[in-house]
Amino acid sequence: MTDVDRAGSSRPGGSVQPVRPSRAVPGTSAVPPGAPADSGRGPAASPSGTRGTPVPRALHRAASADVPQDGVPAAARPAHRDGNVLRWLTAYFASIVGDSVYFLALGWAAAQFAGPAQVGVVLAVGAVPRALLMLLGGVVADRFDPRKVVIGSDALRALVILAVAASLWLGTPRLWLLLLVALVFGVVDALFLPAVGALPPRLTGPDQVVRLVGLRQLAIRIGKAVGPPLAGFALAHHGEAAFAMAGVLFVFSLVLLFGVRVAPLPREAGAAGPGSPWRDLSDGLRYIRRHRLVGPLVLATALSEIGFMPPLQMGVFLLARERGFGPTAIGWILGAFAVGAGAGAVGLSLAGRIRRAGLLQISTLVVASLTIGAIGLLPTVTGAAVVAGFAGLVGGVCGGLSIALVQHNTAAAYQGRVAGVLALSHVGLAPLVFPLFGLAAEEFGVVPMFLVGAVVSASAAAVGLLAPEVRRAELTVR
């Protein structure tokens, strides 16, 4: 649940199935009150089989018109066998690896001529624009096509990182240059994360979104595992080589993205247009607040992130120090969590279609919350690592289902803005509570910190239980 990072036509395994019309629930319709109806024909059916936000017919028609591949229409292919989807996943994986290599290379470069405090400033300076501009990044994605925003982001990152590599090759860069690079990357991330989160629903059919979400989560996990060793190998030989490697990975991602096709955005009420960006932003926030399924899930995501992230990203270190586990214990516990989350992503990518997805998301959230609290109670490294692995497995399924349900039921015109709010909860909101959890751990101990995190995360399940649309949500097309 700590990833988000940044989810058509109907493809149930080889043929396009008809979708039966259903009524849109007030407050969840893709067309806000006062907007013109769809040529008098009523709303399109919700692909989830529930009464959530319908997917516009234009989007179904556009995705069904893909160029055939080997005699099979692209729209009829499962996500894991769709060449267009696989190109995007490969490009995204390369971008994730490049980002990991860049971050380590930046810290290494700063450490060569700056003190610990200055290194910390260099590594943290990008977080400010990322958090402040994330919501506006969602507006940009809805206005200018998320594919174009992602391509522009990778292009800018490639140019900047290759320029730093050249600067290192010619001589040691100044601190101000590294600060500028970190700042630029923070701004670019604020654009990239909402845009990449808005792409999946326009790459595949609605019944394949959960599979694509699982594949994307798997790409994130593997990319973050591959990036640091690659960076370490490059840094051990030549410092500038790590920056050059990151730049080449961004270029590779860019080349693949040019070959990725997306379904055109339908003209519908709520589309971000030539008006004020602030009006578009407030419109997107109002859409989330009024939506009977997306709104509760977005709130639940924020609460679960606040409960999950401090124990995992800070509590494990404090726990190892308090109990004398040693630094290797940190690697075992966090590594087990990552492996479990990867297994959960694999399970989602294989499942593809999940019935009673809303109830399953709520149930897995409760179990994941309890296991996070249990990590702090176990007296041995082995026990904590085993429980952390199970927490990662269940949390990976829960987070993937949450993202898939949100993307599955969000109107196409709002995908970027909704993705921006979700990304903000991952990288902007949750870290703000770290000092509070740290003070609580200092005052009451590390174990209460884990238990409080579990309670906060479990409260997100209560939000879902109180929302009928979440309880009834499905991820199948009938």
Side-chain angles (χ1 to χ4, degrees):
M1 292 191 294
T2 58
D3 289 318
V4 145
D5 210 317
R6 159 245 145 235
S9 65
S10 181
R11 314 188 183 187
S15 61
V16 178
Q17 293 184 347
V19 181
R20 294 183 298 187
S22 62
R23 293 182 299 132
V25 175
T28 65
S29 173
V31 182
D38 184 14
S39 303
R41 295 177 296 174
S46 167
S48 65
T50 66
R51 298 182 297 169
T53 299
V55 171
R57 291 187 179 91
L59 191 56
H60 283 280
R61 290 197 297 269
S64 300
D66 280 340
V67 179
Q69 300 176 6
D70 303 327
V72 180
R77 291 179 180 270
H80 64 287
R81 293 191 299 182
D82 188 333
N84 188 54
V85 170
L86 294 179
R87 275 192 299 275
W88 177 75
L89 281 171
T90 305
Y92 184 57
F93 173 76
S95 182
I96 291 292
V97 176
D99 203 49
S100 297
V101 173
Y102 147 77
F103 189 77
L104 292 178
L106 183 68
W108 173 87
Q112 300 310 299
F113 60 91
Q118 292 172 311
V119 173
V121 171
V122 170
L123 295 179
V125 72
V128 176
R130 186 187 299 118
L132 292 178
L133 300 177
M134 192 73 72
L135 297 181
L136 288 179
V139 173
V140 172
D142 284 336
R143 280 188 171 221
F144 300 105
D145 184 346
R147 174 179 171 271
K148 294 178 180 178
V149 176
V150 170
I151 287 176
S153 299
D154 270 349
L156 182 57
R157 290 197 287 187
L159 288 174
V160 170
I161 210 72
L162 290 175
V164 174
S167 176
L168 275 174
W169 185 270
L170 297 174
T172 302
R174 300 288 184 181
L175 183 63
W176 66 265
L177 178 59
L178 298 182
L179 289 170
L180 180 62
V181 170
L183 188 65
V184 169
F185 263 69
V187 174
V188 171
D189 278 349
L191 300 175
F192 176 83
L193 292 174
V196 80
L199 274 176
R202 295 174 61 182
L203 291 168
T204 188
D207 62 323
Q208 293 294 312
V209 168
V210 65
R211 176 170 283 139
L212 181 50
V213 167
L215 291 171
R216 181 189 170 198
Q217 285 186 317
L218 187 60
I220 292 172
R221 297 295 178 183
I222 297 176
K224 289 186 175 181
V226 169
L230 284 178
F233 175 79
L235 291 172
H237 292 78
H238 298 286
E240 62 273 12
F243 284 98
M245 179 185 293
V248 169
L249 286 166
F250 290 135
V251 170
F252 178 65
S253 173
L254 185 64
V255 171
L256 289 175
L257 285 171
F258 278 114
V260 173
R261 305 182 308 276
V262 298
L265 186 67
R267 296 182 178 275
E268 59 181 273
S276 166
W278 296 108
R279 186 186 66 183
D280 290 338
L281 176 57
S282 61
D283 182 42
L285 295 176
R286 185 164 52 249
Y287 173 83
I288 294 172
R289 179 172 57 84
R290 293 179 177 177
H291 200 294
R292 296 181 182 177
L293 188 145
V294 173
L297 283 177
V298 168
L299 176 59
T301 297
L303 288 173
S304 63
E305 290 294 317
I306 291 173
F308 245 69
M309 288 183 67
L312 281 177
Q313 297 191 7
M314 181 174 63
V316 170
F317 294 90
L318 298 176
L319 188 68
R321 184 186 67 180
E322 183 179 274
R323 298 185 177 175
F325 286 161
T328 56
I330 299 172
W332 280 110
I333 295 172
L334 295 182
F337 181 87
V339 171
V346 171
L348 283 179
S349 64
L350 293 176
R353 299 175 63 177
I354 298 177
R355 300 182 185 277
R356 301 184 182 275
L359 285 177
L360 182 59
Q361 190 272 336
I362 294 170
S363 302
T364 50
L365 178 55
V366 173
V367 174
S369 301
L370 294 176
T371 51
I372 284 294
I375 293 174
L377 297 174
L378 295 172
T380 65
V381 175
T382 301
V386 170
V387 172
F390 184 69
L393 172 66
V394 181
V397 172
C398 173
L401 287 174
S402 179
I403 294 171
L405 284 167
V406 168
Q407 293 179 334
H408 199 59
N409 291 278
T410 297
Y414 289 95
Q415 286 285 351
R417 281 165 282 184
V418 172
V421 174
L422 288 175
L424 179 63
S425 70
H426 291 302
V427 301
L429 178 61
L432 295 178
V433 302
F434 277 23
L436 295 177
F437 274 81
L439 290 173
E442 184 176 339
E443 183 70 23
F444 304 106
V446 179
V447 172
M449 172 185 175
F450 278 85
L451 297 179
V452 170
V455 171
V456 173
S457 179
S459 69
V463 174
L465 283 173
L466 292 174
E469 294 299 320
V470 176
R471 296 198 307 269
R472 293 195 296 260
E474 301 280 355
L475 279 174
T476 59
V477 177
R478 300 184 183 276

